[in-house]
Amino acid sequence: TENENAWIETTELPQIEPDFAPDEASDDASIADSTAIDRASSPGQSSSLFTLNQDLEVIGEIRGIAPNERVYSCRFMEDIAYFVTFRQVDPLFSADLSDPAAPKLIGALKIPGFSEYLHPYAPGLLFGLGRDADEDTGVAGDIKLSMFDISNPADAKEKYKMILQGLRASEAESNHKAIVVNAGKRLIAFPSDRCYIVCGYDVETGFSRRATISLYEDNAAYFNGYYYGGEGLRGLFIGNVFYAISPNSVNAYDMDNDFAKLGTASVGDGAMPVNRYAYYLPREYPGNPGDGAEIIPFKGGIEDSIE
């Protein structure tokens, strides 16, 4: 078209919840969604999967998946959709989309806990980040890492898992820009409460905790406001150097030497994130965030530059 941004088609579907729920493949679009608006387990709540053509007409659907549960995460990999629902246990569903007009569920793995983020790790492997949970009550617990063997999509298995005792949340559960996953570097890294966690994965031995990077000393003002799940902390690697970044500092670590610290650069002059779009710039040390401080818009930087 002459105007590439022209609005072409629209359609209405129930509420689409997790990141990566919409996906476009060949001539058809696939959308996994939740029919529930309320996150509570209300009567009649269930999940659905729809396939649409280029005119956004529904050409195939699966309804009534996992009554009284909500979709927490989703990934499309070739002709297979993987998605997690949760109430008390974590069903990892797999759906065959090879015939868009007739999608069908082909597998459901039920394990305690749930994954709020799914990431294709390597051929035949799907990584999940989420929480452990009480199998009887469904009460969420500590952060849980799962590696799913999806070499047979109809019979997915949780090959390895690791529960990070005492860590209750990570921003990566709701923001995929907060996690670094790279199979070649054996790297799974994400922020958590007052620290940055670096884990590894080996196909023979499973998960390992490679480093716990404390960022409190250089970011006392930031943590006095206590940002749940390490909100605003980021990581990246260049070559064999890993960088843990906060509003106040950039810290470098040697990945080939057990993450030995190489150095720190101070930045930001005590800036603290109000949220991912704005920062406090305190005129003095803010024992009480907001006193003598002003809020300015966040214009570029870590959030915009790290994918």
Side-chain angles (χ1 to χ4, degrees):
T1 62
E2 291 183 5
N3 182 359
E4 293 183 357
N5 296 317
W7 194 275
I8 300 173
E9 297 287 350
T10 186
T11 193
E12 291 187 8
L13 292 171
Q15 183 181 13
I16 301 171
E17 292 230 8
D19 290 343
F20 307 108
D23 179 73
E24 183 177 357
S26 64
D27 293 331
D28 301 299
S30 302
I31 295 179
D33 84 306
S34 173
T35 60
I37 297 176
D38 188 354
R39 292 191 174 194
S41 297
S42 55
Q45 176 177 337
S46 64
S47 300
S48 305
L49 185 146
F50 299 92
T51 55
L52 290 73
N53 61 19
Q54 288 186 316
D55 296 324
L56 296 186
E57 298 168 333
V58 175
I59 59 174
E61 62 183 52
I62 306 172
R63 289 183 177 268
I65 304 168
N68 299 318
E69 299 184 4
R70 182 175 69 87
V71 173
Y72 270 70
S73 54
C74 183
R75 273 288 184 174
F76 292 84
M77 300 170 66
E78 297 181 350
D79 290 332
I80 304 295
Y82 297 95
F83 55 99
V84 168
T85 66
F86 176 72
R87 185 182 180 187
Q88 288 178 289
V89 293
D90 168 2
L92 172 68
F93 288 98
S94 52
D96 185 350
L97 309 178
S98 57
D99 180 357
K104 58 183 178 181
L105 290 179
I106 57 174
L109 171 66
K110 291 194 174 184
I111 53 176
F114 56 93
S115 297
E116 291 197 89
Y117 175 71
L118 295 174
H119 190 103
Y121 186 78
L125 294 175
L126 179 65
F127 167 72
L129 170 73
R131 305 278 196 90
D132 188 29
D134 186 283
E135 195 167 351
D136 295 321
T137 66
V139 175
D142 297 325
I143 292 176
K144 177 185 177 183
L145 310 183
S146 296
M147 190 64 74
F148 299 103
D149 179 350
I150 56 170
S151 53
N152 178 1
D155 188 25
K157 295 179 172 62
E158 187 180 45
K159 188 174 183 179
Y160 290 105
K161 69 177 180 180
M162 183 167 71
I163 298 171
L164 300 177
Q165 301 290 343
L167 297 180
R168 304 288 292 183
S170 171
E171 189 192 352
E173 294 174 89
S174 58
N175 181 2
H176 66 272
K177 291 187 176 183
I179 191 168
V180 179
V181 180
N182 187 283
K185 295 287 187 180
R186 294 195 309 109
L187 193 63
I188 299 170
F190 51 89
S192 189
D193 303 332
R194 296 188 174 216
C195 61
Y196 200 91
I197 302 297
V198 182
C199 294
Y201 179 79
D202 183 272
V203 294
E204 299 296 333
T205 59
F207 292 105
S208 62
R209 192 157 167 176
R210 301 178 64 184
T212 301
I213 298 172
S214 174
L215 297 172
Y216 180 79
E217 183 176 346
D218 295 329
N219 299 274
Y222 168 80
F223 284 117
N224 279 348
Y226 189 65
Y227 289 89
Y228 192 59
E231 182 176 0
L233 305 181
R234 292 292 182 269
L236 60 85
F237 66 89
I238 301 174
N240 291 319
V241 178
F242 188 85
Y243 298 89
I245 304 169
S246 78
N248 295 340
S249 63
V250 177
N251 304 272
Y253 301 86
D254 186 348
M255 295 171 60
D256 290 336
N257 188 24
D258 295 327
F259 284 81
K261 193 169 186 178
L262 299 174
T264 298
S266 297
V267 297
D269 192 26
M272 299 192 310
V274 179
N275 54 44
R276 70 188 63 168
Y277 305 111
Y279 276 81
Y280 283 119
L281 286 186
R283 297 188 182 92
E284 302 180 16
Y285 183 88
N288 179 16
D291 286 352
E294 60 180 325
I295 298 177
I296 65 168
F298 180 63
K299 298 180 180 179
I302 294 172
E303 183 74 21
D304 290 339
S305 63
I306 300 175
E307 295 298 330

